[in-house]
PDB file of all heavy atoms in Angstrom:
ATOM      1  N   ILE E 204     -12.309 -31.646  28.260  1.00 91.00           N
ATOM      2  CA  ILE E 204     -12.519 -32.723  29.238  1.00 91.00           C
ATOM      3  C   ILE E 204     -13.620 -33.662  28.756  1.00 91.00           C
ATOM      4  O   ILE E 204     -13.491 -34.886  28.781  1.00 91.00           O
ATOM      5  CB  ILE E 204     -12.849 -32.118  30.626  1.00 91.00           C
ATOM      6  CG1 ILE E 204     -11.599 -31.406  31.175  1.00 91.00           C
ATOM      7  CG2 ILE E 204     -13.325 -33.202  31.600  1.00 91.00           C
ATOM      8  CD1 ILE E 204     -11.839 -30.602  32.450  1.00 91.00           C
ATOM      9  N   ASP E 205     -14.713 -33.070  28.259  1.00 90.00           N
ATOM     10  CA  ASP E 205     -15.787 -33.857  27.650  1.00 90.00           C
ATOM     11  C   ASP E 205     -15.253 -34.850  26.634  1.00 90.00           C
ATOM     12  O   ASP E 205     -15.576 -36.040  26.640  1.00 90.00           O
ATOM     13  CB  ASP E 205     -16.739 -32.930  26.869  1.00 90.00           C
ATOM     14  CG  ASP E 205     -17.878 -32.463  27.736  1.00 90.00           C
ATOM     15  OD1 ASP E 205     -17.832 -32.726  28.960  1.00 90.00           O
ATOM     16  OD2 ASP E 205     -18.805 -31.835  27.186  1.00 90.00           O
ATOM     17  N   LEU E 206     -14.434 -34.298  25.751  1.00 91.00           N
ATOM     18  CA  LEU E 206     -13.875 -35.082  24.660  1.00 91.00           C
ATOM     19  C   LEU E 206     -13.034 -36.225  25.214  1.00 91.00           C
ATOM     20  O   LEU E 206     -13.105 -37.368  24.746  1.00 91.00           O
ATOM     21  CB  LEU E 206     -12.998 -34.138  23.820  1.00 91.00           C
ATOM     22  CG  LEU E 206     -12.831 -34.425  22.348  1.00 91.00           C
ATOM     23  CD1 LEU E 206     -14.183 -34.466  21.667  1.00 91.00           C
ATOM     24  CD2 LEU E 206     -11.972 -33.326  21.730  1.00 91.00           C
ATOM     25  N   ALA E 207     -12.258 -35.899  26.236  1.00 90.00           N
ATOM     26  CA  ALA E 207     -11.385 -36.902  26.838  1.00 90.00           C
ATOM     27  C   ALA E 207     -12.230 -38.027  27.443  1.00 90.00           C
ATOM     28  O   ALA E 207     -11.937 -39.217  27.275  1.00 90.00           O
ATOM     29  CB  ALA E 207     -10.512 -36.259  27.911  1.00 90.00           C
ATOM     30  N   ARG E 208     -13.319 -37.644  28.103  1.00 89.00           N
ATOM     31  CA  ARG E 208     -14.161 -38.639  28.768  1.00 89.00           C
ATOM     32  C   ARG E 208     -14.770 -39.603  27.761  1.00 89.00           C
ATOM     33  O   ARG E 208     -15.099 -40.741  28.082  1.00 89.00           O
ATOM     34  CB  ARG E 208     -15.288 -37.937  29.550  1.00 89.00           C
ATOM     35  CG  ARG E 208     -14.761 -36.997  30.629  1.00 89.00           C
ATOM     36  CD  ARG E 208     -15.143 -37.445  32.044  1.00 89.00           C
ATOM     37  NE  ARG E 208     -14.228 -36.862  33.032  1.00 89.00           N
ATOM     38  CZ  ARG E 208     -14.426 -35.678  33.650  1.00 89.00           C
ATOM     39  NH1 ARG E 208     -15.536 -34.979  33.411  1.00 89.00           N
ATOM     40  NH2 ARG E 208     -13.548 -35.240  34.519  1.00 89.00           N
ATOM     41  N   GLU E 209     -14.957 -39.122  26.529  1.00 89.00           N
ATOM     42  CA  GLU E 209     -15.567 -39.994  25.519  1.00 89.00           C
ATOM     43  C   GLU E 209     -14.557 -40.931  24.879  1.00 89.00           C
ATOM     44  O   GLU E 209     -14.894 -41.671  23.956  1.00 89.00           O
ATOM     45  CB  GLU E 209     -16.230 -39.153  24.432  1.00 89.00           C
ATOM     46  CG  GLU E 209     -17.534 -38.572  24.903  1.00 89.00           C
ATOM     47  CD  GLU E 209     -17.996 -37.463  23.990  1.00 89.00           C
ATOM     48  OE1 GLU E 209     -17.598 -37.461  22.799  1.00 89.00           O
ATOM     49  OE2 GLU E 209     -18.729 -36.585  24.474  1.00 89.00           O
ATOM     50  N   GLY E 210     -13.313 -40.858  25.307  1.00 87.00           N
ATOM     51  CA  GLY E 210     -12.334 -41.835  24.847  1.00 87.00           C
ATOM     52  C   GLY E 210     -11.521 -41.441  23.643  1.00 87.00           C
ATOM     53  O   GLY E 210     -10.858 -42.277  23.016  1.00 87.00           O
ATOM     54  N   MET E 211     -11.535 -40.156  23.264  1.00 92.00           N
ATOM     55  CA  MET E 211     -10.698 -39.711  22.150  1.00 92.00           C
ATOM     56  C   MET E 211      -9.220 -39.807  22.540  1.00 92.00           C
ATOM     57  O   MET E 211      -8.838 -39.469  23.658  1.00 92.00           O
ATOM     58  CB  MET E 211     -11.066 -38.249  21.830  1.00 92.00           C
ATOM     59  CG  MET E 211     -10.193 -37.565  20.813  1.00 92.00           C
ATOM     60  SD  MET E 211     -10.410 -38.220  19.151  1.00 92.00           S
ATOM     61  CE  MET E 211     -11.956 -37.431  18.679  1.00 92.00           C
ATOM     62  N   THR E 212      -8.400 -40.261  21.611  1.00 94.00           N
ATOM     63  CA  THR E 212      -6.959 -40.227  21.829  1.00 94.00           C
ATOM     64  C   THR E 212      -6.502 -38.774  21.730  1.00 94.00           C
ATOM     65  O   THR E 212      -6.798 -38.106  20.745  1.00 94.00           O
ATOM     66  CB  THR E 212      -6.218 -41.041  20.746  1.00 94.00           C
ATOM     67  OG1 THR E 212      -6.839 -42.317  20.646  1.00 94.00           O
ATOM     68  CG2 THR E 212      -4.750 -41.175  21.070  1.00 94.00           C
ATOM     69  N   MET E 213      -5.821 -38.290  22.762  1.00 95.00           N
ATOM     70  CA  MET E 213      -5.465 -36.874  22.760  1.00 95.00           C
ATOM     71  C   MET E 213      -4.018 -36.638  23.152  1.00 95.00           C
ATOM     72  O   MET E 213      -3.531 -37.258  24.093  1.00 95.00           O
ATOM     73  CB  MET E 213      -6.352 -36.097  23.764  1.00 95.00           C
ATOM     74  CG  MET E 213      -7.781 -35.897  23.306  1.00 95.00           C
ATOM     75  SD  MET E 213      -8.876 -35.378  24.651  1.00 95.00           S
ATOM     76  CE  MET E 213      -8.308 -33.738  24.972  1.00 95.00           C
ATOM     77  N   LEU E 214      -3.343 -35.740  22.437  1.00 96.00           N
ATOM     78  CA  LEU E 214      -2.053 -35.231  22.884  1.00 96.00           C
ATOM     79  C   LEU E 214      -2.221 -33.739  23.061  1.00 96.00           C
ATOM     80  O   LEU E 214      -2.627 -33.045  22.123  1.00 96.00           O
ATOM     81  CB  LEU E 214      -0.960 -35.465  21.849  1.00 96.00           C
ATOM     82  CG  LEU E 214      -0.226 -36.797  21.954  1.00 96.00           C
ATOM     83  CD1 LEU E 214      -1.013 -37.841  21.206  1.00 96.00           C
ATOM     84  CD2 LEU E 214       1.187 -36.657  21.447  1.00 96.00           C
ATOM     85  N   CYS E 215      -1.892 -33.273  24.244  1.00 96.00           N
ATOM     86  CA  CYS E 215      -2.201 -31.888  24.518  1.00 96.00           C
ATOM     87  C   CYS E 215      -1.008 -31.171  25.151  1.00 96.00           C
ATOM     88  O   CYS E 215      -0.545 -31.556  26.223  1.00 96.00           O
ATOM     89  CB  CYS E 215      -3.420 -31.848  25.435  1.00 96.00           C
ATOM     90  SG  CYS E 215      -3.961 -30.198  25.777  1.00 96.00           S
ATOM     91  N   VAL E 216      -0.505 -30.151  24.450  1.00 95.00           N
ATOM     92  CA  VAL E 216       0.520 -29.304  25.053  1.00 95.00           C
ATOM     93  C   VAL E 216      -0.222 -28.239  25.852  1.00 95.00           C
ATOM     94  O   VAL E 216      -1.049 -27.508  25.289  1.00 95.00           O
ATOM     95  CB  VAL E 216       1.381 -28.614  23.982  1.00 95.00           C
ATOM     96  CG1 VAL E 216       2.382 -27.672  24.636  1.00 95.00           C
ATOM     97  CG2 VAL E 216       2.079 -29.636  23.108  1.00 95.00           C
ATOM     98  N   THR E 217       0.011 -28.177  27.148  1.00 92.00           N
ATOM     99  CA  THR E 217      -0.685 -27.168  27.944  1.00 92.00           C
ATOM    100  C   THR E 217       0.035 -26.939  29.260  1.00 92.00           C
ATOM    101  O   THR E 217       0.831 -27.776  29.708  1.00 92.00           O
ATOM    102  CB  THR E 217      -2.150 -27.586  28.227  1.00 92.00           C
ATOM    103  OG1 THR E 217      -2.793 -26.523  28.941  1.00 92.00           O
ATOM    104  CG2 THR E 217      -2.212 -28.850  29.053  1.00 92.00           C
ATOM    105  N   HIS E 218      -0.207 -25.785  29.843  1.00 87.00           N
ATOM    106  CA  HIS E 218       0.303 -25.533  31.182  1.00 87.00           C
ATOM    107  C   HIS E 218      -0.808 -25.553  32.209  1.00 87.00           C
ATOM    108  O   HIS E 218      -0.610 -25.183  33.360  1.00 87.00           O
ATOM    109  CB  HIS E 218       1.040 -24.184  31.230  1.00 87.00           C
ATOM    110  CG  HIS E 218       2.309 -24.211  30.465  1.00 87.00           C
ATOM    111  ND1 HIS E 218       2.527 -23.436  29.360  1.00 87.00           N
ATOM    112  CD2 HIS E 218       3.424 -24.959  30.643  1.00 87.00           C
ATOM    113  CE1 HIS E 218       3.728 -23.696  28.879  1.00 87.00           C
ATOM    114  NE2 HIS E 218       4.295 -24.620  29.638  1.00 87.00           N
ATOM    115  N   GLU E 219      -1.998 -25.968  31.784  1.00 88.00           N
ATOM    116  CA  GLU E 219      -3.120 -26.025  32.710  1.00 88.00           C
ATOM    117  C   GLU E 219      -3.011 -27.313  33.522  1.00 88.00           C
ATOM    118  O   GLU E 219      -3.439 -28.377  33.100  1.00 88.00           O
ATOM    119  CB  GLU E 219      -4.448 -26.006  31.944  1.00 88.00           C
ATOM    120  CG  GLU E 219      -4.701 -24.735  31.186  1.00 88.00           C
ATOM    121  CD  GLU E 219      -4.927 -23.542  32.116  1.00 88.00           C
ATOM    122  OE1 GLU E 219      -5.339 -23.757  33.289  1.00 88.00           O
ATOM    123  OE2 GLU E 219      -4.675 -22.410  31.672  1.00 88.00           O
ATOM    124  N   MET E 220      -2.413 -27.186  34.686  1.00 87.00           N
ATOM    125  CA  MET E 220      -2.120 -28.394  35.434  1.00 87.00           C
ATOM    126  C   MET E 220      -3.370 -29.045  36.016  1.00 87.00           C
ATOM    127  O   MET E 220      -3.416 -30.257  36.198  1.00 87.00           O
ATOM    128  CB  MET E 220      -1.090 -28.080  36.526  1.00 87.00           C
ATOM    129  CG  MET E 220       0.259 -27.755  35.885  1.00 87.00           C
ATOM    130  SD  MET E 220       0.789 -29.078  34.734  1.00 87.00           S
ATOM    131  CE  MET E 220       1.605 -28.176  33.434  1.00 87.00           C
ATOM    132  N   GLU E 221      -4.400 -28.216  36.250  1.00 87.00           N
ATOM    133  CA  GLU E 221      -5.671 -28.787  36.695  1.00 87.00           C
ATOM    134  C   GLU E 221      -6.194 -29.768  35.671  1.00 87.00           C
ATOM    135  O   GLU E 221      -6.683 -30.853  35.987  1.00 87.00           O
ATOM    136  CB  GLU E 221      -6.711 -27.683  36.923  1.00 87.00           C
ATOM    137  CG  GLU E 221      -6.447 -26.833  38.135  1.00 87.00           C
ATOM    138  CD  GLU E 221      -6.126 -27.688  39.356  1.00 87.00           C
ATOM    139  OE1 GLU E 221      -6.902 -28.625  39.652  1.00 87.00           O
ATOM    140  OE2 GLU E 221      -5.074 -27.445  39.984  1.00 87.00           O
ATOM    141  N   PHE E 222      -6.099 -29.333  34.420  1.00 90.00           N
ATOM    142  CA  PHE E 222      -6.562 -30.189  33.336  1.00 90.00           C
ATOM    143  C   PHE E 222      -5.772 -31.495  33.309  1.00 90.00           C
ATOM    144  O   PHE E 222      -6.335 -32.590  33.180  1.00 90.00           O
ATOM    145  CB  PHE E 222      -6.419 -29.433  32.014  1.00 90.00           C
ATOM    146  CG  PHE E 222      -6.716 -30.269  30.796  1.00 90.00           C
ATOM    147  CD1 PHE E 222      -8.026 -30.535  30.413  1.00 90.00           C
ATOM    148  CD2 PHE E 222      -5.677 -30.792  30.018  1.00 90.00           C
ATOM    149  CE1 PHE E 222      -8.299 -31.300  29.290  1.00 90.00           C
ATOM    150  CE2 PHE E 222      -5.942 -31.564  28.896  1.00 90.00           C
ATOM    151  CZ  PHE E 222      -7.263 -31.821  28.535  1.00 90.00           C
ATOM    152  N   ALA E 223      -4.466 -31.349  33.464  1.00 91.00           N
ATOM    153  CA  ALA E 223      -3.625 -32.548  33.449  1.00 91.00           C
ATOM    154  C   ALA E 223      -4.047 -33.515  34.554  1.00 91.00           C
ATOM    155  O   ALA E 223      -4.231 -34.712  34.332  1.00 91.00           O
ATOM    156  CB  ALA E 223      -2.154 -32.143  33.612  1.00 91.00           C
ATOM    157  N   ARG E 224      -4.222 -32.965  35.734  1.00 90.00           N
ATOM    158  CA  ARG E 224      -4.637 -33.824  36.852  1.00 90.00           C
ATOM    159  C   ARG E 224      -5.974 -34.492  36.569  1.00 90.00           C
ATOM    160  O   ARG E 224      -6.188 -35.654  36.890  1.00 90.00           O
ATOM    161  CB  ARG E 224      -4.803 -32.974  38.120  1.00 90.00           C
ATOM    162  CG  ARG E 224      -3.517 -32.729  38.872  1.00 90.00           C
ATOM    163  CD  ARG E 224      -3.847 -31.971  40.160  1.00 90.00           C
ATOM    164  NE  ARG E 224      -2.911 -30.892  40.416  1.00 90.00           N
ATOM    165  CZ  ARG E 224      -1.766 -31.081  41.067  1.00 90.00           C
ATOM    166  NH1 ARG E 224      -1.441 -32.266  41.551  1.00 90.00           N
ATOM    167  NH2 ARG E 224      -0.942 -30.075  41.251  1.00 90.00           N
ATOM    168  N   ALA E 225      -6.893 -33.724  35.954  1.00 89.00           N
ATOM    169  CA  ALA E 225      -8.248 -34.236  35.781  1.00 89.00           C
ATOM    170  C   ALA E 225      -8.336 -35.337  34.739  1.00 89.00           C
ATOM    171  O   ALA E 225      -9.056 -36.317  34.931  1.00 89.00           O
ATOM    172  CB  ALA E 225      -9.191 -33.091  35.411  1.00 89.00           C
ATOM    173  N   VAL E 226      -7.643 -35.196  33.624  1.00 90.00           N
ATOM    174  CA  VAL E 226      -7.890 -36.164  32.553  1.00 90.00           C
ATOM    175  C   VAL E 226      -6.676 -36.940  32.048  1.00 90.00           C
ATOM    176  O   VAL E 226      -6.849 -37.957  31.378  1.00 90.00           O
ATOM    177  CB  VAL E 226      -8.571 -35.498  31.322  1.00 90.00           C
ATOM    178  CG1 VAL E 226      -9.840 -34.776  31.725  1.00 90.00           C
ATOM    179  CG2 VAL E 226      -7.597 -34.582  30.611  1.00 90.00           C
TER     180      VAL E 226
END
Side-chain angles (χ1 to χ4, degrees):
Chain E
I204 292 172
D205 268 8
L206 209 57
R208 300 244 158 90
E209 284 165 25
M211 173 69 78
T212 310
M213 287 165 70
L214 271 85
C215 183
V216 177
T217 183
H218 291 116
E219 295 292 336
M220 292 307 144
E221 289 313 309
F222 173 79
R224 276 184 223 273
V226 305

